Amino acid sequence: MPIIQFPHEMKWGAATAAYQIEGAAHEDGRGQSIWDTFSHTPGHVKNGDNGDVACDSYHRYEEDIEMMKDLGIEMYRFSVSWPRIFPDGTGEINEEGLQFYHRFVDALLAQGIEPMCTLYHWDLPQALQDKGGWASRETTDAFADYAELMFQEFNGKIKHWITINEPWCVSFLSNFIGVHAPGNQDLQLATTISHHLLLAHGKAVTRFRELESTGEIGYAPNLEWNEPFSDKQEDIDACNRGMGWFIEWFFDPVFKGSYPEFMLNWFEKKGVSLTLEEGDLKLISQPIDFIGINYYTGSVGRYKENEELFDLEKIDIGYNKTDIGWNVYPEGFYKVLCKVKDQYGDIPIYITENGACYNDGVEYGEVHDQRRIEYLKQHLTSLSRSMEAGVNIKGYLTWSLLDNFEWAEGYEKRFGLVHVNFRTLERTKKDSYYWYKQTIANGWLEMK
Ligand code: IFM
């Protein structure tokens, strides 16, 4: 039986995000976020679901941390709800919000679990949206002020910081495709926002360095792999544009200090341009300590005129799919990691999200989610291959610890190692939980 061995130093972890698990939407002075507004507007989220209660982790975090300890994870990635800290986005600080995160982080540290904190996982204060949201450069300053407060408050406690989670989703999915809050469908707006997000990231990194904070800082883009259907140049180019939207667009400014020409030219053909101010790229491209990579899926694609934004047609060639309809494509994980190394060098990488949606339910107190175990095994194997190829992997954090509020899909789509009954809030450990626990304890995988 072949064995896949992981280095002892690689950190094992799990991830979640505030709006998806906390609940307590109206408690202890929390302000409203764009996701409160969006989910309470009929027609945006399946079944009219919202994050008012979610997994109730705001009240049940001690139980959740006990599970993390039992699972054996060394690192836990969570996000802070910006409107819990600044209910109006800027100005008055909500002390109760800060105290909640202090209690939470202290409880993690007491169990020997390293906190990895994401500052922005999509819950923009509604008050800032009312003033233009990410389309306004003022939001980038508000973000830097919020980040600075968090760095000061948690200096020495939190040693891994992520500025922005999945800037592609925040810009294009939310403001061009329009399925996430605030639900706009405007390519120019989305492109402007993508630049402002990177700017906000850069400004936060500046504050981190100015404060001489201890620890490391990075950001966490989501990547996909597009495999050309044939070796025709037009298929290759179409796939490169599709990937360039996720990779080069969000990596080149940070690692090379410029936007990729081929994407700028393409956007120009679509009537879209970028307005940069002097100094923006310098701020964006200052060195970071690591990159977080979120990977779930990939696909085969070929050139087709006027298909989607990039003349790229995705072809269904029969890959297995998870219950959210995404291809299971572990090969793409290996390829995307090698591409990042080839193009951007040996930057340390944390896999900040990787996991699968399977909606298996509880049967006699157990959840038999064998398909999730297979998905994780295949992706961990790709991860190991990438490490053999020299990719500098520091940690692997699966998405997610718990089933949670899956944004526009509501509670129907389940990504957790732990099942949550959203009526009773009861947690049930799935088979994948026990498998992950054993894998962490071993530090290796056995492949059949
Ligand atoms: O649930 C999300 C998460 O918030 C961001 N990355 C993808 C996950 C699954 O869709």
Side-chain angles (χ1 to χ4, degrees), residues 36-193:
D36 297 301
T37 311
F38 191 75
S39 61
H40 281 274
T41 308
H44 283 150
V45 176
K46 275 202 191 134
N47 306 318
D49 290 343
N50 59 61
D52 285 4
V53 177
C55 307
D56 195 33
S57 293
Y58 190 81
H59 298 113
R60 293 166 197 251
Y61 69 88
E62 282 166 330
E63 179 187 345
D64 292 345
I65 292 175
E66 255 169 51
M67 276 193 307
M68 296 178 209
K69 176 75 182 163
D70 172 70
L71 181 58
I73 56 175
E74 301 159 282
M75 198 173 237
Y76 177 64
R77 176 179 176 227
F78 69 103
S79 81
V80 169
S81 158
W82 184 349
R84 262 192 216 290
I85 307 299
F86 285 105
D88 297 321
T90 54
E92 206 166 318
I93 299 167
N94 177 33
E95 274 301 325
E96 283 178 288
L98 282 176
Q99 288 320 312
F100 165 69
Y101 289 109
H102 274 296
R103 286 194 299 278
F104 174 69
V105 168
D106 291 346
L108 280 177
L109 292 171
Q111 295 295 353
I113 301 169
E114 264 184 67
M116 174 182 263
C117 176
T118 310
L119 288 166
Y120 189 72
H121 201 127
W122 309 356
D123 41 0
L124 185 72
Q126 181 61 41
L128 293 181
Q129 184 63 37
D130 295 342
K131 292 191 235 160
W134 286 112
S136 161
R137 288 177 70 97
E138 282 176 26
T139 300
T140 66
D141 294 317
F143 178 73
D145 291 344
Y146 153 59
E148 178 171 332
L149 173 71
M150 296 304 292
F151 299 148
Q152 279 170 331
E153 275 289 321
F154 292 90
N155 190 30
K157 283 190 183 179
I158 298 178
K159 303 219 173 98
H160 291 87
W161 295 92
I162 289 177
T163 53
I164 310 271
N165 182 63
E166 300 187 351
W168 180 87
C169 292
V170 183
S171 48
F172 296 107
L173 187 64
S174 308
N175 291 284
F176 169 54
I177 301 170
V179 300
H180 279 189
N184 297 311
Q185 293 185 323
D186 179 337
L187 184 58
Q188 178 61 65
L189 174 73
T191 310
T192 302
I193 286 176

Side-chain angles (χ1 to χ4, degrees), residues 17 20 121-122 165-166 169 222 294 296 324 326 353 399 404-407 415:
Q20 295 180 271
H121 201 127
W122 309 356
N165 182 63
E166 300 187 351
C169 292
N222 52 314
N294 297 356
Y296 290 89
I324 202 169
W326 300 349
E353 290 183 28
W399 185 273
N404 56 51
F405 176 75
E406 179 51 25
W407 308 112
F415 281 82

Side-chain angles (χ1 to χ4, degrees), residues 146-403:
Y146 153 59
E148 178 171 332
L149 173 71
M150 296 304 292
F151 299 148
Q152 279 170 331
E153 275 289 321
F154 292 90
N155 190 30
K157 283 190 183 179
I158 298 178
K159 303 219 173 98
H160 291 87
W161 295 92
I162 289 177
T163 53
I164 310 271
N165 182 63
E166 300 187 351
W168 180 87
C169 292
V170 183
S171 48
F172 296 107
L173 187 64
S174 308
N175 291 284
F176 169 54
I177 301 170
V179 300
H180 279 189
N184 297 311
Q185 293 185 323
D186 179 337
L187 184 58
Q188 178 61 65
L189 174 73
T191 310
T192 302
I193 286 176
S194 68
H195 176 62
H196 288 172
L197 290 167
L198 291 175
L199 190 59
H201 157 82
K203 288 182 179 179
V205 175
T206 303
R207 303 283 179 102
F208 187 76
R209 303 289 183 221
E210 281 172 357
L211 288 168
E212 298 182 5
S213 310
T214 50
E216 302 186 336
I217 190 160
Y219 70 135
N222 52 314
L223 310 185
E224 287 190 16
W225 182 259
N226 293 161
E227 186 72 24
F229 185 72
S230 79
D231 59 5
K232 279 194 215 150
Q233 195 57 46
E234 59 183 18
D235 288 351
I236 295 171
D237 291 345
C239 284
N240 282 341
R241 286 192 295 273
M243 285 194 284
W245 205 21
F246 293 86
I247 306 181
E248 283 86 347
W249 190 257
F250 291 102
F251 278 62
D252 279 18
V254 174
F255 292 101
K256 299 183 173 172
S258 58
Y259 278 93
E261 260 326 292
F262 75 105
M263 294 297 292
L264 284 171
N265 294 340
W266 190 264
F267 278 136
E268 201 183 314
K269 279 196 350 193
K270 302 280 165 192
V272 165
S273 59
L274 262 190
T275 311
L276 307 188
E277 288 188 12
E278 211 186 316
D280 281 4
L281 284 166
K282 197 159 170 245
L283 274 172
I284 292 173
S285 63
Q286 57 193 302
I288 53 175
D289 304 304
F290 68 91
I291 186 146
I293 287 185
N294 297 356
Y295 177 86
Y296 290 89
T297 188
S299 53
V300 172
R302 69 180 170 201
Y303 172 77
K304 185 175 178 199
E305 200 178 351
N306 295 331
E307 179 75 11
E308 305 282 342
L309 186 54
F310 295 106
D311 291 1
L312 172 64
E313 180 187 40
K314 305 270 177 75
I315 316 274
D316 188 345
I317 62 165
Y319 286 103
N320 288 334
K321 292 190 174 28
T322 62
D323 288 346
I324 202 169
W326 300 349
N327 290 332
V328 178
Y329 202 156
E331 186 74 11
F333 192 26
Y334 168 71
K335 290 188 175 178
V336 106
L337 290 170
C338 292
K339 182 176 164 86
V340 167
K341 175 184 157 59
D342 291 347
Q343 293 185 191
Y344 305 101
D346 275 336
I347 174 102
I349 294 176
Y350 284 89
I351 304 306
T352 35
E353 290 183 28
N354 172 244
C357 170
Y358 291 113
N359 298 331
D360 307 285
V362 181
E363 292 169 52
Y364 304 106
E366 297 180 349
V367 183
H368 303 302
D369 58 339
Q370 188 59 30
R371 294 176 300 169
R372 178 171 290 102
I373 295 174
E374 294 308 321
Y375 178 101
L376 293 174
K377 268 188 185 173
Q378 291 167 354
H379 285 76
L380 281 166
T381 305
S382 284
L383 185 72
S384 171
R385 288 182 64 202
S386 80
M387 290 162 99
E388 286 294 320
V391 179
N392 190 3
I393 300 291
K394 296 290 181 199
Y396 174 86
L397 290 84
T398 192
W399 185 273
S400 177
L401 178 72
L402 301 166
D403 291 341

Side-chain angles (χ1 to χ4, degrees), residues 67 358-362 366-367 401-403 414 416-422 425-430 433:
M67 276 193 307
Y358 291 113
N359 298 331
D360 307 285
V362 181
E366 297 180 349
V367 183
L401 178 72
L402 301 166
D403 291 341
R414 296 176 176 271
L417 300 177
V418 176
H419 180 278
V420 178
N421 176 326
F422 290 106
L425 300 168
E426 190 187 346
R427 277 88 162 127
T428 306
K429 295 167 182 168
K430 302 183 188 179
Y433 172 100

Side-chain angles (χ1 to χ4, degrees), residues 14-41:
T16 60
Y19 191 71
Q20 295 180 271
I21 65 160
E22 281 180 3
H26 307 291
E27 280 178 56
D28 297 342
R30 175 186 178 275
Q32 176 147 334
S33 85
I34 55 173
W35 269 96
D36 297 301
T37 311
F38 191 75
S39 61
H40 281 274
T41 308

